[in-house]
Amino acid sequence: MPTLLSPNLIRAIGQILAVSYPLLALSAGARSVYQLFFKPGVTDYFPPTLSAVAASVYLVATVAFVVRKPWAWKVSVVALSFELAGVLLVGTLSLLMPEFIGRTVWHGFGVDYGFLPLVQPILGLIWLFWPENRRQFSSSPA
């Protein structure tokens, strides 16, 4: 019986993540640096700081995906779980209190980024927990 998640689909998810995480790290980081240091008249530093946090999480996840060691798998799971919680929390607060949250990478559940910040950690966790990928992380030489 075919399953919804085939090995080919898992490989495709891995390829999407290989492109999307570094791209979002660069994009969110550039957005944050611009808003913090180059945008005139910025008085609220909370939104660009949240974008910097998002960029850092994306960068950590990118590196941990590549390393393929048991500790890197754990770091990836923690980073993606934090990312998902952040997107859900900031996305919800941005709808309830838009003046407090402002425009961040995660506002509106990542609407400015095509909702990729919401979908990406879910895909990443599916990819990380796929048995073949877990074996690759655990069987890497120390």
Side-chain angles (χ1 to χ4, degrees):
M1 179 169 95
T3 62
L4 180 62
L5 296 175
S6 70
N8 288 337
L9 179 60
I10 294 298
R11 275 192 289 283
I13 289 172
Q15 292 170 347
I16 291 168
L17 296 173
V19 172
S20 67
Y21 267 98
L23 184 64
L24 274 179
L26 179 63
S27 176
R31 176 184 189 142
S32 176
V33 167
Y34 170 74
Q35 288 176 334
L36 284 171
F37 300 110
F38 299 108
K39 188 174 182 182
V42 172
T43 57
D44 185 8
Y45 295 101
F46 187 64
T49 302
L50 275 177
S51 292
V53 168
S56 300
V57 171
Y58 299 146
L59 187 60
V60 166
T62 299
V63 171
F65 283 157
V66 172
V67 172
R68 299 291 176 111
K69 305 251 185 208
W71 64 265
W73 184 87
K74 292 174 188 171
V75 168
S76 296
V77 170
V78 169
L80 271 59
S81 298
F82 177 82
E83 176 189 356
L84 183 58
V87 170
L88 293 174
L89 178 65
V90 172
T92 301
L93 289 176
S94 70
L95 297 176
L96 299 175
M97 303 182 307
E99 66 286 344
F100 174 69
I101 295 297
R103 302 292 285 196
T104 72
V105 173
W106 291 343
H107 91 276
F109 306 101
V111 68
D112 289 346
Y113 294 83
F115 298 101
L116 193 58
L118 177 62
V119 174
Q120 179 174 261
I122 295 167
L123 292 177
L125 289 168
I126 290 169
W127 184 82
L128 284 168
F129 281 97
W130 187 255
E132 181 180 323
N133 293 333
R134 282 202 70 177
R135 276 191 298 278
Q136 287 179 5
F137 276 89
S138 64
S139 66
S140 295

